[in-house]
Each structure stands twice: as C-alpha cells, then as structure tokens.
Coordinates of all heavy atoms in Angstrom, one line a residue:
M1 N -3.2 12.6 -33.5 CA -4.2 12.5 -32.4 C -3.9 13.6 -31.4 O -2.8 13.9 -31.1 CB -4.1 11.1 -31.8 CG -5.2 10.9 -30.8 SD -5.2 9.2 -30.3 CE -6.9 8.7 -30.9
N2 N -5.0 14.1 -30.8 CA -4.9 15.2 -29.7 C -4.3 14.6 -28.5 O -4.7 13.6 -28.0 CB -6.3 15.7 -29.5 CG -6.3 17.0 -28.8 OD1 -5.3 17.3 -28.2 ND2 -7.5 17.6 -28.7
T3 N -3.3 15.3 -28.0 CA -2.5 14.9 -26.8 C -3.4 14.8 -25.6 O -3.3 13.8 -24.8 CB -1.4 15.8 -26.5 OG1 -0.5 16.0 -27.6 CG2 -0.6 15.4 -25.4
S4 N -4.3 15.7 -25.4 CA -5.2 15.6 -24.2 C -6.1 14.4 -24.3 O -6.4 13.8 -23.3 CB -6.1 16.9 -24.2 OG -6.9 17.1 -25.2
K5 N -6.5 14.0 -25.5 CA -7.4 12.8 -25.6 C -6.6 11.6 -25.2 O -7.1 10.6 -24.6 CB -8.0 12.7 -27.0 CG -9.1 13.7 -27.3 CD -9.6 13.5 -28.6 CE -10.7 14.5 -29.0 NZ -11.2 14.3 -30.3
V6 N -5.4 11.5 -25.6 CA -4.5 10.4 -25.3 C -4.3 10.3 -23.8 O -4.4 9.2 -23.2 CB -3.1 10.5 -26.0 CG1 -2.2 9.4 -25.6 CG2 -3.3 10.3 -27.5
V7 N -4.0 11.5 -23.2 CA -3.7 11.5 -21.7 C -5.1 11.0 -21.0 O -4.9 10.2 -20.1 CB -3.3 12.9 -21.2 CG1 -3.4 13.0 -19.7 CG2 -2.0 13.2 -21.8
I8 N -6.2 11.4 -21.4 CA -7.5 11.1 -20.8 C -7.7 9.6 -21.0 O -8.1 8.9 -20.0 CB -8.6 11.9 -21.3 CG1 -8.5 13.3 -20.8 CG2 -10.0 11.3 -20.9 CD1 -9.5 14.3 -21.5
G9 N -7.4 9.1 -22.2 CA -7.6 7.7 -22.4 C -6.7 6.8 -21.6 O -7.1 5.7 -21.1
V10 N -5.5 7.2 -21.5 CA -4.5 6.4 -20.7 C -4.9 6.4 -19.3 O -4.9 5.4 -18.6 CB -3.0 7.0 -20.9 CG1 -2.1 6.4 -19.9 CG2 -2.6 6.7 -22.3
L11 N -5.2 7.6 -18.8 CA -5.7 7.7 -17.3 C -6.9 6.9 -17.0 O -7.1 6.3 -16.0 CB -5.8 9.2 -16.9 CG -4.5 9.9 -16.8 CD1 -4.8 11.4 -16.5 CD2 -3.6 9.4 -15.8
G12 N -7.8 6.9 -18.0 CA -9.1 6.2 -17.9 C -8.8 4.7 -17.8 O -9.4 4.0 -17.0
G13 N -7.9 4.3 -18.8 CA -7.6 2.9 -18.7 C -6.8 2.3 -17.4 O -7.2 1.3 -16.9
I14 N -6.0 3.3 -16.9 CA -5.4 2.9 -15.7 C -6.3 2.8 -14.5 O -6.3 1.9 -13.7 CB -4.3 4.0 -15.4 CG1 -3.1 3.9 -16.3 CG2 -3.7 3.8 -13.9 CD1 -2.1 5.0 -16.3
A15 N -7.3 3.8 -14.5 CA -8.3 3.8 -13.5 C -9.2 2.6 -13.5 O -9.4 1.9 -12.5 CB -9.2 5.1 -13.6
V16 N -9.7 2.2 -14.7 CA -10.5 1.0 -14.8 C -9.7 -0.3 -14.4 O -10.2 -1.1 -13.7 CB -11.0 0.9 -16.3 CG1 -11.6 -0.5 -16.6 CG2 -11.9 2.0 -16.6
G17 N -8.5 -0.4 -14.8 CA -7.6 -1.5 -14.5 C -7.4 -1.6 -13.0 O -7.4 -2.7 -12.4
A18 N -7.2 -0.5 -12.3 CA -6.9 -0.5 -10.9 C -8.2 -0.9 -10.2 O -8.1 -1.7 -9.2 CB -6.4 0.9 -10.4
I19 N -9.3 -0.3 -10.6 CA -10.6 -0.7 -9.9 C -10.9 -2.2 -10.2 O -11.3 -2.9 -9.2 CB -11.7 0.2 -10.4 CG1 -11.5 1.7 -9.9 CG2 -13.0 -0.3 -10.0 CD1 -12.5 2.7 -10.5
A20 N -10.7 -2.7 -11.3 CA -10.9 -4.1 -11.6 C -10.0 -5.0 -10.7 O -10.4 -5.9 -10.1 CB -10.7 -4.4 -13.0
G21 N -8.7 -4.5 -10.5 CA -7.8 -5.3 -9.7 C -8.2 -5.3 -8.3 O -8.1 -6.4 -7.6
V22 N -8.7 -4.2 -7.8 CA -9.1 -4.1 -6.4 C -10.4 -4.9 -6.2 O -10.5 -5.6 -5.1 CB -9.4 -2.6 -5.9 CG1 -9.9 -2.6 -4.6 CG2 -8.0 -1.9 -6.0
L23 N -11.2 -4.9 -7.2 CA -12.5 -5.6 -7.0 C -12.3 -7.1 -7.0 O -13.0 -7.9 -6.3 CB -13.5 -5.2 -8.1 CG -14.1 -3.8 -8.0 CD1 -14.9 -3.5 -9.2 CD2 -15.0 -3.7 -6.7
F24 N -11.4 -7.6 -7.8 CA -11.2 -9.0 -7.8 C -10.1 -9.5 -6.8 O -9.9 -10.7 -6.7 CB -10.7 -9.4 -9.3 CG -11.9 -9.3 -10.2 CD1 -11.9 -8.3 -11.2 CD2 -12.9 -10.2 -10.2 CE1 -12.9 -8.2 -12.1 CE2 -13.9 -10.1 -11.1 CZ -14.0 -9.0 -12.1
A25 N -9.5 -8.6 -6.0 CA -8.6 -9.0 -5.0 C -9.4 -9.6 -3.8 O -10.4 -9.1 -3.4 CB -7.7 -7.8 -4.5
P26 N -8.8 -10.6 -3.2 CA -9.5 -11.1 -2.0 C -9.3 -10.3 -0.8 O -8.3 -10.2 -0.1 CB -8.8 -12.5 -1.8 CG -7.4 -12.3 -2.4 CD -7.6 -11.4 -3.4
A27 N -10.3 -9.5 -0.5 CA -10.4 -8.6 0.7 C -11.8 -8.4 1.1 O -12.7 -8.7 0.4 CB -9.7 -7.3 0.4
K28 N -12.0 -7.9 2.4 CA -13.3 -7.7 2.9 C -13.9 -6.5 2.0 O -13.2 -5.6 1.5 CB -13.3 -7.2 4.3 CG -13.0 -8.3 5.3 CD -13.2 -7.8 6.7 CE -13.6 -8.9 7.7 NZ -13.7 -8.3 9.0
G29 N -15.2 -6.4 2.0 CA -15.9 -5.4 1.3 C -15.6 -4.0 1.8 O -15.4 -3.1 1.0
T30 N -15.4 -3.9 3.1 CA -15.1 -2.6 3.6 C -13.8 -2.1 3.2 O -13.5 -0.9 2.8 CB -15.2 -2.6 5.2 OG1 -16.4 -3.2 5.6 CG2 -15.0 -1.2 5.8
K31 N -12.8 -3.0 3.2 CA -11.4 -2.7 2.8 C -11.4 -2.3 1.4 O -10.7 -1.4 0.9 CB -10.5 -3.9 3.1 CG -9.3 -3.5 3.9 CD -8.5 -4.8 4.0 CE -7.6 -4.5 5.2 NZ -6.8 -5.7 5.5
T32 N -12.1 -3.1 0.6 CA -12.2 -2.9 -0.9 C -12.7 -1.5 -1.2 O -12.2 -0.8 -2.0 CB -13.0 -4.0 -1.6 OG1 -12.4 -5.3 -1.3 CG2 -13.1 -3.8 -3.1
R33 N -13.8 -1.1 -0.5 CA -14.4 0.1 -0.8 C -13.4 1.3 -0.5 O -13.4 2.3 -1.1 CB -15.8 0.3 -0.1 CG -16.9 -0.5 -0.7 CD -18.2 -0.2 0.0 NE -18.3 -0.6 1.3 CZ -18.6 -1.9 1.7 NH1 -18.9 -2.8 0.7 NH2 -18.7 -2.2 2.9
K34 N -12.8 1.1 0.7 CA -11.8 2.1 1.0 C -10.6 2.3 0.1 O -10.3 3.3 -0.3 CB -11.2 1.8 2.5 CG -12.2 2.1 3.6 CD -11.5 1.8 4.9 CE -12.5 2.0 6.0 NZ -11.9 1.6 7.4
R35 N -10.2 1.1 -0.5 CA -9.1 1.1 -1.5 C -9.7 1.8 -2.7 O -8.9 2.6 -3.4 CB -8.7 -0.3 -1.8 CG -7.9 -0.9 -0.7 CD -7.5 -2.3 -1.2 NE -6.7 -3.0 -0.3 CZ -6.4 -4.2 -0.3 NH1 -6.7 -5.0 -1.4 NH2 -5.6 -4.8 0.7
I36 N -10.9 1.5 -3.2 CA -11.4 2.2 -4.4 C -11.5 3.7 -4.1 O -11.2 4.4 -5.0 CB -12.8 1.5 -4.7 CG1 -12.6 0.2 -5.2 CG2 -13.5 2.4 -5.7 CD1 -14.0 -0.5 -5.3
M37 N -12.0 4.1 -3.0 CA -12.1 5.6 -2.7 C -10.7 6.2 -2.7 O -10.5 7.3 -3.3 CB -12.8 5.8 -1.4 CG -14.2 5.5 -1.4 SD -15.2 6.5 -2.6 CE -15.0 8.0 -1.9
K38 N -9.8 5.6 -2.1 CA -8.4 6.1 -2.1 C -7.8 6.2 -3.5 O -7.3 7.2 -4.0 CB -7.5 5.3 -1.3 CG -6.1 5.9 -1.2 CD -5.3 5.3 -0.2 CE -3.8 5.8 -0.1 NZ -3.3 6.8 -0.9
K39 N -8.0 5.1 -4.3 CA -7.5 5.2 -5.8 C -8.2 6.2 -6.5 O -7.5 6.9 -7.3 CB -7.7 3.8 -6.4 CG -6.9 2.7 -5.9 CD -5.4 2.8 -6.4 CE -4.7 1.6 -5.9 NZ -3.3 1.7 -6.4
G40 N -9.6 6.3 -6.3 CA -10.3 7.3 -7.0 C -9.8 8.8 -6.7 O -9.6 9.7 -7.6
T41 N -9.5 9.0 -5.4 CA -9.0 10.2 -4.9 C -7.7 10.5 -5.6 O -7.3 11.6 -6.0 CB -9.0 10.4 -3.4 OG1 -10.3 10.1 -2.9 CG2 -8.5 11.7 -3.0
D42 N -6.7 9.6 -5.6 CA -5.4 9.7 -6.1 C -5.5 10.0 -7.6 O -4.8 11.0 -8.1 CB -4.6 8.4 -5.9 CG -4.3 8.2 -4.4 OD1 -4.4 9.1 -3.6 OD2 -3.9 7.1 -4.2
Y43 N -6.4 9.3 -8.4 CA -6.5 9.6 -9.8 C -7.0 10.9 -10.1 O -6.6 11.5 -11.0 CB -7.2 8.4 -10.4 CG -6.5 7.1 -10.5 CD1 -7.0 6.0 -10.1 CD2 -5.3 7.1 -11.1 CE1 -6.4 4.7 -10.2 CE2 -4.5 5.9 -11.2 CZ -5.1 4.7 -10.7 OH -4.4 3.6 -10.8
T44 N -8.0 11.3 -9.2 CA -8.6 12.6 -9.4 C -7.6 13.7 -9.3 O -7.5 14.7 -10.0 CB -9.7 12.8 -8.4 OG1 -10.8 11.8 -8.6 CG2 -10.4 14.2 -8.6
K45 N -6.8 13.6 -8.2 CA -5.7 14.6 -8.0 C -4.7 14.5 -9.2 O -4.3 15.6 -9.6 CB -5.0 14.3 -6.6 CG -5.8 14.6 -5.5 CD -5.0 14.3 -4.2 CE -5.9 14.5 -3.0 NZ -5.2 14.1 -1.7
D46 N -4.3 13.4 -9.6 CA -3.3 13.3 -10.7 C -3.9 13.9 -12.0 O -3.3 14.7 -12.6 CB -3.0 11.8 -10.9 CG -2.0 11.7 -11.9 OD1 -0.9 12.5 -11.9 OD2 -2.0 10.8 -12.8
L47 N -5.2 13.6 -12.3 CA -5.8 14.1 -13.4 C -5.9 15.7 -13.4 O -5.7 16.4 -14.3 CB -7.2 13.6 -13.6 CG -7.9 13.9 -14.9 CD1 -7.1 13.4 -16.1 CD2 -9.3 13.2 -14.9
K48 N -6.2 16.2 -12.1 CA -6.4 17.6 -11.9 C -5.0 18.3 -12.1 O -4.9 19.3 -12.9 CB -6.8 18.0 -10.5 CG -7.0 19.4 -10.2 CD -7.4 19.7 -8.8 CE -7.4 21.1 -8.5 NZ -7.5 21.4 -7.0
N49 N -3.9 17.7 -11.7 CA -2.6 18.2 -11.9 C -2.2 18.2 -13.3 O -1.6 19.2 -13.9 CB -1.6 17.4 -11.1 CG -1.7 17.7 -9.6 OD1 -2.2 18.7 -9.1 ND2 -1.2 16.8 -8.8
K50 N -2.6 17.2 -14.1 CA -2.3 17.1 -15.4 C -3.0 18.2 -16.2 O -2.5 18.9 -17.1 CB -2.5 15.8 -16.0 CG -1.5 14.7 -15.5 CD -1.5 13.5 -16.3 CE -0.6 12.5 -15.8 NZ 0.8 12.8 -15.8
F51 N -4.2 18.4 -15.9 CA -5.1 19.4 -16.6 C -4.6 20.9 -16.3 O -4.5 21.7 -17.2 CB -6.5 19.3 -16.3 CG -7.3 18.4 -17.1 CD1 -8.0 17.3 -16.6 CD2 -7.3 18.5 -18.6 CE1 -8.7 16.4 -17.4 CE2 -8.0 17.6 -19.3 CZ -8.7 16.5 -18.8
E52 N -4.1 21.0 -15.0 CA -3.6 22.3 -14.7 C -2.3 22.6 -15.5 O -2.1 23.7 -15.9 CB -3.3 22.5 -13.2 CG -4.5 22.5 -12.4 CD -4.3 22.4 -10.8 OE1 -3.2 22.1 -10.4 OE2 -5.2 22.7 -10.1
G53 N -1.5 21.6 -15.7 CA -0.2 21.7 -16.5 C -0.6 22.0 -17.9 O 0.1 22.8 -18.5
L54 N -1.6 21.3 -18.4 CA -2.0 21.5 -19.8 C -2.5 22.9 -20.0 O -2.2 23.6 -20.9 CB -3.0 20.5 -20.2 CG -3.5 20.5 -21.6 CD1 -2.4 20.2 -22.6 CD2 -4.7 19.5 -21.8
Y55 N -3.3 23.4 -19.1 CA -3.9 24.7 -19.1 C -2.8 25.7 -19.1 O -2.8 26.7 -19.9 CB -4.9 24.9 -18.0 CG -5.4 26.3 -18.0 CD1 -6.5 26.7 -18.8 CD2 -4.9 27.3 -17.0 CE1 -6.9 28.0 -18.7 CE2 -5.4 28.5 -17.0 CZ -6.4 28.9 -17.9 OH -6.9 30.3 -17.9
S56 N -1.9 25.6 -18.1 CA -0.7 26.5 -18.1 C 0.1 26.5 -19.3 O 0.4 27.7 -19.8 CB 0.2 26.1 -16.9 OG 1.3 26.9 -16.8
D57 N 0.3 25.4 -20.0 CA 1.1 25.3 -21.2 C 0.3 26.0 -22.3 O 0.9 26.8 -23.1 CB 1.3 23.8 -21.6 CG 2.3 23.7 -22.7 OD1 3.2 24.5 -22.8 OD2 1.9 22.8 -23.6
I58 N -1.0 25.8 -22.4 CA -1.8 26.4 -23.5 C -1.9 27.9 -23.2 O -1.7 28.7 -24.2 CB -3.2 25.9 -23.5 CG1 -3.1 24.5 -24.1 CG2 -4.2 26.6 -24.3 CD1 -4.4 23.7 -23.9
A59 N -2.0 28.4 -22.0 CA -2.0 29.8 -21.6 C -0.7 30.5 -22.1 O -0.7 31.6 -22.6 CB -2.3 30.0 -20.2
T60 N 0.4 29.8 -21.8 CA 1.7 30.4 -22.1 C 1.8 30.5 -23.6 O 2.3 31.6 -24.1 CB 2.8 29.5 -21.5 OG1 2.7 29.5 -20.1 CG2 4.2 30.1 -21.9
K61 N 1.5 29.5 -24.4 CA 1.6 29.5 -25.8 C 0.6 30.6 -26.4 O 1.0 31.4 -27.3 CB 1.2 28.2 -26.4 CG 2.3 27.2 -26.2 CD 1.9 25.8 -26.8 CE 3.0 24.9 -26.4 NZ 2.7 23.5 -27.0
Y62 N -0.5 30.8 -25.8 CA -1.5 31.8 -26.2 C -0.9 33.2 -26.0 O -0.9 34.0 -27.0 CB -2.8 31.7 -25.5 CG -3.8 32.9 -25.8 CD1 -4.5 32.9 -26.9 CD2 -3.9 33.9 -24.8 CE1 -5.4 33.9 -27.2 CE2 -4.7 35.0 -25.1 CZ -5.5 34.9 -26.2 OH -6.3 36.0 -26.5
E63 N -0.3 33.4 -24.8 CA 0.3 34.7 -24.6 C 1.5 35.0 -25.5 O 1.7 36.1 -26.0 CB 0.9 34.7 -23.2 CG -0.2 34.8 -22.1 CD 0.3 34.6 -20.7 OE1 1.5 34.6 -20.5 OE2 -0.6 34.5 -19.8
N64 N 2.3 33.9 -25.9 CA 3.5 34.1 -26.8 C 2.8 34.5 -28.2 O 3.4 35.3 -28.9 CB 4.2 32.8 -26.9 CG 5.0 32.6 -25.6 OD1 5.3 33.5 -24.8 ND2 5.5 31.4 -25.4
V65 N 1.8 33.8 -28.6 CA 1.3 34.1 -29.9 C 0.7 35.5 -30.0 O 0.9 36.2 -31.0 CB 0.1 33.0 -30.3 CG1 -0.6 33.5 -31.5 CG2 0.8 31.7 -30.6
M66 N 0.0 35.9 -28.9 CA -0.6 37.3 -28.9 C 0.6 38.3 -28.9 O 0.5 39.3 -29.6 CB -1.5 37.4 -27.6 CG -2.7 36.7 -27.7 SD -3.8 37.0 -29.1 CE -4.2 38.7 -28.7
E67 N 1.7 38.0 -28.2 CA 2.7 39.1 -28.2 C 3.4 39.1 -29.5 O 3.7 40.2 -30.0 CB 3.8 38.6 -27.2 CG 4.9 39.6 -26.9 CD 4.5 40.9 -26.4 OE1 3.5 41.0 -25.7 OE2 5.1 41.9 -26.9
E68 N 3.5 38.0 -30.2 CA 4.1 38.0 -31.6 C 3.2 38.7 -32.6 O 3.6 39.4 -33.4 CB 4.4 36.5 -32.1 CG 5.6 35.9 -31.3 CD 5.8 34.5 -31.7 OE1 5.1 33.9 -32.7 OE2 6.5 33.8 -31.0
A69 N 1.9 38.5 -32.4 CA 0.9 39.2 -33.3 C 0.9 40.7 -33.1 O 1.0 41.4 -34.1 CB -0.5 38.6 -33.0
K70 N 1.1 41.1 -31.8 CA 1.2 42.5 -31.5 C 2.5 43.1 -32.2 O 2.5 44.3 -32.7 CB 1.2 42.8 -30.0 CG -0.2 42.6 -29.4 CD -0.1 42.8 -27.9 CE -1.5 42.5 -27.3 NZ -1.4 42.6 -25.8
E71 N 3.6 42.5 -32.0 CA 4.8 42.9 -32.6 C 4.8 43.0 -34.2 O 5.2 43.9 -34.8 CB 5.9 42.0 -32.2 CG 6.4 42.1 -30.8 CD 7.4 41.1 -30.3 OE1 8.0 40.4 -31.3 OE2 7.7 41.0 -29.2
F72 N 4.1 41.9 -34.8 CA 3.9 41.9 -36.2 C 3.1 43.1 -36.7 O 3.5 43.8 -37.6 CB 3.2 40.5 -36.6 CG 3.0 40.4 -38.1 CD1 4.0 40.1 -38.9 CD2 1.7 40.7 -38.7 CE1 3.8 40.0 -40.3 CE2 1.6 40.6 -40.0 CZ 2.6 40.2 -40.8
V73 N 1.9 43.3 -36.0 CA 1.1 44.4 -36.4 C 1.8 45.9 -36.2 O 1.8 46.7 -37.1 CB -0.2 44.4 -35.6 CG1 -1.0 45.7 -35.7 CG2 -1.1 43.2 -36.0
S74 N 2.5 45.9 -35.1 CA 3.3 47.1 -34.8 C 4.4 47.3 -35.8 O 4.6 48.5 -36.3 CB 4.0 47.0 -33.4 OG 4.8 48.1 -33.2
D75 N 5.1 46.3 -36.3 CA 6.1 46.5 -37.3 C 5.6 46.9 -38.6 O 6.2 47.6 -39.3 CB 6.8 45.1 -37.4 CG 7.8 44.8 -36.2 OD1 8.1 45.7 -35.4 OD2 8.3 43.7 -36.1
H76 N 4.4 46.3 -39.0 CA 3.8 46.6 -40.3 C 3.1 48.0 -40.3 O 2.8 48.5 -41.4 CB 2.9 45.5 -40.7 CG 3.7 44.3 -41.2 ND1 4.3 43.4 -40.3 CD2 4.0 43.9 -42.4 CE1 5.0 42.5 -41.0 NE2 4.8 42.8 -42.3
Q77 N 2.7 48.5 -39.2 CA 2.1 49.8 -39.1 C 3.2 50.9 -39.2 O 2.8 52.0 -39.8 CB 1.3 50.0 -37.8 CG 0.1 49.3 -37.7 CD -0.7 49.5 -36.4 OE1 -0.2 50.0 -35.5 NE2 -2.0 49.1 -36.4
E78 N 4.3 50.7 -38.9 CA 5.4 51.7 -39.0 C 5.8 51.9 -40.5 O 6.3 52.9 -40.8 CB 6.6 51.3 -38.2 CG 6.4 51.2 -36.7 CD 7.5 50.6 -36.0 OE1 8.5 50.3 -36.6 OE2 7.4 50.6 -34.8
R79 N 5.6 51.0 -41.3 CA 6.0 51.2 -42.8 C 5.1 52.0 -43.5 O 4.2 52.5 -43.6 CB 6.0 49.7 -43.4 CG 7.0 48.8 -42.8 CD 7.0 47.5 -43.5 NE 8.0 46.7 -42.8 CZ 8.3 45.5 -43.2 NH1 7.7 44.9 -44.2 NH2 9.1 44.7 -42.6

C-alpha cells in the first residue's frame, strides 16, 4: 500500500475522531466552534508539514537517481 495514502487515511481518521469528540462534548456552541477551528488549523499545519517532508524526501531520491543515471551514461559512453 502507498505510504502517502496510509498517512492521509490515518490523519483523516484522527481528524474525524477529534471533531466527533468535540461535537459530543458538553460545551457551549461558541466554545465548540472555536475548538473545531483550532483542531482544524492544527491538523492542517501537521498535514502540510508531513507533505513538505514527503516532497523533500521524494525530491532527494529523484536527485540521487538522476545523478546515478548520469554517472551510468557517462561510464558507458567512455567505453
């Protein structure tokens, strides 16, 4: 299974669980809405950080593969 899909699924499940917990907690509507907004902002930041990390990892791997490919072509052109 694709790692990014698993991460998205887990984060989505956490978000739904947190929102459901806040909605069913005994609090005023104003307080509940503020909590939901804060949780949503927190999850958005967390998700953004995870995607930035994933993008960075993929970019690094791409650069490594390209460098290896250039070396391979260079080595075989000399023969």
Side-chain angles (χ1 to χ4, degrees):
M1 183 172 246
N2 194 348
T3 304
S4 62
K5 288 183 182 180
V6 171
V7 170
I8 291 171
V10 168
L11 290 175
I14 291 171
V16 169
I19 290 172
V22 170
L23 287 174
F24 290 109
K28 284 184 155 186
T30 308
K31 229 179 203 180
T32 301
R33 285 190 294 275
K34 286 181 183 177
R35 285 183 184 171
I36 290 172
M37 288 301 295
K38 182 172 177 358
K39 290 282 186 184
T41 301
D42 292 346
Y43 287 127
T44 301
K45 288 179 184 176
D46 187 43
L47 187 60
K48 181 182 175 191
N49 289 338
K50 291 200 183 292
F51 275 122
E52 286 174 351
L54 181 63
Y55 176 79
S56 176
D57 187 41
I58 290 171
T60 301
K61 287 180 182 179
Y62 173 78
E63 289 172 7
N64 291 341
V65 167
M66 290 302 292
E67 186 63 33
E68 288 177 10
K70 288 177 185 177
E71 289 175 11
F72 179 80
V73 169
S74 177
D75 289 345
H76 284 77
Q77 284 181 347
E78 292 175 2
R79 293 182 184 183

